[in-house]
Amino acid sequence: MPVASALAIAGNRVAGGVGTHETALASPDRVNLGGRCVFPGLNDAHVHFPSWALAQREVRLEDTSSLDETLARVEAAVAAAEPGHWLRGRGWRSGDWSPEVEPSRQALDSVTGETPVALMARDYHSLWLNSAALAAADGELEVTGGVVELDEHGEPTGILREESAWQFRDRYLTASDDEFVDAMREGLKVVAARGVTAVHDKDGWLGAPRFWQRLADEGALTLRVWQSLPYDHVGRLQELGFRSGIGDELLRIGYLKAFMDGTLGSQTARMLDGSGVEITSREQLVEIIRAGARAGWPVAVHAIGDLANREALDAFAETRGEWEPLGLRQRIEHAQLLAPEDIQRFGDLGVAASVQFSHAPSDRDIADRHWAGKTDGAYAYRSLLDTGALVANGSDAPIEELDPLAGICAGVLRALDEREAWHPEQTVTVEQALEATILAPAWLARDERRRGKLLPGYLADLVVLDRDPLAIEPEELPEVQVVATMLGGRWIHNPPPWD
Ligand SMILES: [Zn+2]
């Protein structure tokens, strides 16, 4: 990336960089950075923005370390909630609890009474319900691709997994449009303060495009959004003649989303050892990629386990002749556990690894437990980069916080606590982490000639940092602060002057 000592901005674009000897720019406004540092705006390549925004208002259980602590937090929330309304929460992970115990409806019932309570697991692949919530469900809990856990009497334990969890959520737990839009309006301010100017959203299934449009109509949309849609809309998109990229300067519909398997935390990741849950087969994915290519859409496919990733790569390889000539930017989301012999295939095939740097340190204990002996290929970001693969970084918010600087720290340090880095051979450099957070997501959104660099003609999307992350020791990275953020030449967070 070129480095300039000053930057000229005209309208919504960068008009030029200025060398050390030039000081005069024809402009009515001049901002003295006072030694601060400017980078292109930060991206998050994997967010569920509406879900994240709403999650800011729900019972949060991410940092609970025992069942008792979890129940105490739920009990307090029930006491504060409106009687008779659903209480929603998220973030629990029974693998984090000590002593070890499985969640059950009986445990929840002991603190929730008549209030129906639904708690989404941290990885979103399991849902924990109390008896009142189960009673509210008149429909069938068993669905294809889903799991309903039963006790020894054949009664539901209160835990639903995969499709069963998602269908329950869609039927009973979805918030109103107004609730989503209100929460997102607040959320946009939060992420502007974190230097974010673009996201790749995954909540197309939830109706995210109509929420974004409402926000745009009121002038509140301060992000560039590259939106996914569930792959089963592809026939309709083709009929209508909508191709990837349709939209405007801020909101574009970009890619199709599919799922190969479950997750690590719910132990539903599809593994070479035969365990896990298959959501989409290799053959089905081949058909999805083909249909996408015919209609002009790339596919982002979620794959966590080593078998899920292998089959996703197989499907992209088999269809390569159909999508590569079209320049479709295919991607595997997470690419969390890879068989060592599959890592090179990302570079060879030109399929992007859309990963979450922050997952590595936060999942390390569970990965060491469930994937013992296999973690050399887990969260293998440096190895992926070494193959020449495009690696894009996201948060998967609300699973991790929507905070790209925190993701950069996690990629470089691979530690969240005082412990040594987890698999330090997989740490990335600060420069690589910045590229994965700035350049790679812009390329995936076909924006590499408009965004991601501060060159003449590029959009003036930028973040002012209090210090240069490339000029400090990695240990100092967690202290880097966002000072201000600009989108298309307009300040969206903390306009100058600053003192
Ligand atoms: Zn996700």
Side-chain angles (χ1 to χ4, degrees):
M1 288 190 227
V3 176
S5 66
L7 201 62
I9 291 162
N12 65 346
R13 308 244 164 199
V14 175
V18 181
T20 11
H21 302 297
E22 299 166 73
T23 49
L25 289 170
S27 166
D29 292 321
R30 192 182 295 186
V31 177
N32 184 346
L33 289 169
R36 296 178 185 88
C37 172
V38 170
F39 269 88
L42 306 177
N43 293 228
D44 191 315
H46 188 133
V47 296
H48 302 262
F49 196 94
S51 299
W52 168 79
L54 206 61
Q56 310 295 308
R57 303 173 168 195
E58 298 183 350
V59 195
R60 301 305 293 268
L61 303 167
E62 277 82 354
D63 54 344
T64 51
S65 56
S66 68
L67 175 64
D68 285 346
E69 188 185 358
T70 306
L71 293 176
R73 204 169 294 178
V74 172
E75 185 170 26
V78 168
E82 266 182 88
H85 284 69
W86 281 86
L87 179 73
R88 292 187 293 249
R90 67 186 70 217
W92 61 273
R93 181 155 74 173
S94 51
D96 290 342
W97 293 344
S98 156
E100 261 183 70
V101 54
E102 284 306 309
S104 68
R105 66 187 158 87
Q106 290 86 351
L108 265 188
D109 291 348
S110 68
V111 295
T112 56
E114 293 305 301
T115 303
V117 176
L119 306 172
M120 193 57 88
R122 178 158 181 172
D123 66 10
Y124 270 70
H125 287 249
S126 298
L127 184 65
W128 178 15
L129 305 168
N130 67 355
S131 296
L134 282 165
D138 48 5
E140 196 48 52
L141 297 172
E142 300 269 3
V143 293
T144 316
V147 176
V148 180
E149 302 228 321
L150 301 176
D151 62 20
E152 66 270 27
H153 311 293
E155 295 291 319
T157 64
I159 296 294
L160 308 180
R161 301 202 196 272
E162 309 302 332
E163 273 302 327
S164 295
W166 299 336
Q167 291 201 14
F168 189 97
R169 169 199 63 192
D170 294 350
R171 283 179 68 167
Y172 303 105
L173 304 176
T174 304
S176 69
D177 280 20
D178 287 347
E179 274 181 89
F180 273 115
V181 172
D182 281 349
M184 288 167 74
R185 197 182 292 111
E186 289 304 308
L188 285 165
K189 291 179 198 142
V190 173
V191 300
R194 293 176 182 170
V196 184
T197 55
V199 296
H200 297 185
D201 187 69
K202 314 279 167 184
D203 273 357
W205 63 272
L206 191 63
R210 71 175 185 274
F211 305 148
W212 296 123
Q213 282 183 300
R214 278 182 56 180
L215 292 161
D217 287 347
E218 59 185 68
L221 182 54
T222 51
L223 269 183
R224 300 191 199 276
V225 180
W226 183 245
Q227 180 69 52
S228 70
L229 291 179
Y231 73 86
D232 47 351
H233 293 301
V234 67
R236 208 64 209 287
L237 293 168
Q238 190 174 14
E239 266 170 54
L240 293 166
F242 288 0
R243 277 189 302 112
S244 167
I246 188 164
D248 60 23
E249 282 284 298
L250 291 176
L251 170 62
R252 286 179 301 149
I253 314 296
Y255 56 108
L256 306 173
K257 180 89 194 282
F259 287 84
M260 294 304 277
D261 66 341
T263 67
L264 164 65
S266 291
Q267 293 196 67
T268 46
R270 193 147 172 266
M271 306 288 287
L272 286 165
D273 67 15
S275 64
V277 173
E278 177 185 271
I279 299 180
T280 302
S281 71
R282 178 184 183 285
E283 294 72 28
Q284 287 169 320
L285 184 62
V286 164
E287 287 315 312
I288 292 166
I289 297 167
R290 279 208 174 110
R294 278 196 300 273
W297 292 80
V299 175
V301 62
H302 161 117
I304 303 275
D306 44 12
L307 179 56
N309 276 283
R310 175 168 297 171
E311 296 205 330
L313 288 162
D314 287 345
F316 283 120
E318 187 176 329
T319 53
R320 188 176 192 174
E322 290 153 76
W323 55 264
E324 196 177 49
L326 303 173
L328 295 176
R329 296 172 182 186
Q330 313 284 14
R331 51 200 282 180
I332 293 181
E333 301 299 316
H334 312 303
Q336 216 155 286
L337 182 65
L338 302 173
E341 60 271 33
D342 287 332
I343 296 178
Q344 182 61 42
R345 300 175 70 197
F346 282 84
D348 294 347
L349 266 173
V351 169
S354 171
V355 305
Q356 295 75 40
F357 289 156
S358 47
H359 284 359
S362 74
D363 289 0
R364 63 190 287 178
D365 297 316
I366 299 188
D368 280 337
R369 194 174 334 139
H370 295 324
W371 290 347
K374 303 188 183 102
T375 54
D376 282 350
Y379 313 79
Y381 309 137
R382 176 66 75 106
S383 298
L384 281 164
L385 283 165
D386 289 345
T387 72
L390 186 103
V391 174
N393 182 39
S395 63
D396 207 359
I399 293 180
E400 302 286 342
E401 242 331 292
L402 206 175
D403 186 353
L405 283 179
I408 289 168
C409 291
V412 173
L413 303 173
R414 274 178 92 94
L416 286 176
D417 43 36
E418 60 298 329
R419 285 183 287 175
E420 294 288 294
W422 186 59
H423 284 279
E425 72 282 4
Q426 295 295 349
T427 55
V428 300
T429 66
V430 178
E431 191 154 16
Q432 287 171 326
L434 286 163
E435 285 182 9
T437 308
I438 295 173
L439 290 164
W443 185 86
L444 280 170
R446 312 185 68 91
D447 259 353
E448 72 275 17
R449 293 196 179 83
R450 293 180 346 125
R451 289 195 300 118
K453 295 179 184 177
L454 298 174
L455 290 177
Y458 277 62
L459 288 163
D461 295 356
L462 55 84
V463 57
V464 181
L465 301 176
D466 70 337
R467 69 196 88 180
D468 181 355
L470 290 167
I472 57 176
E473 292 300 318
E475 295 67 41
E476 199 184 326
L477 275 178
E479 288 157 47
V480 176
Q481 299 285 330
V482 170
V483 176
T485 310
M486 174 183 279
L487 182 85
R490 191 164 68 87
W491 292 108
I492 56 170
H493 169 67
N494 196 26
W498 316 295
D499 40 43

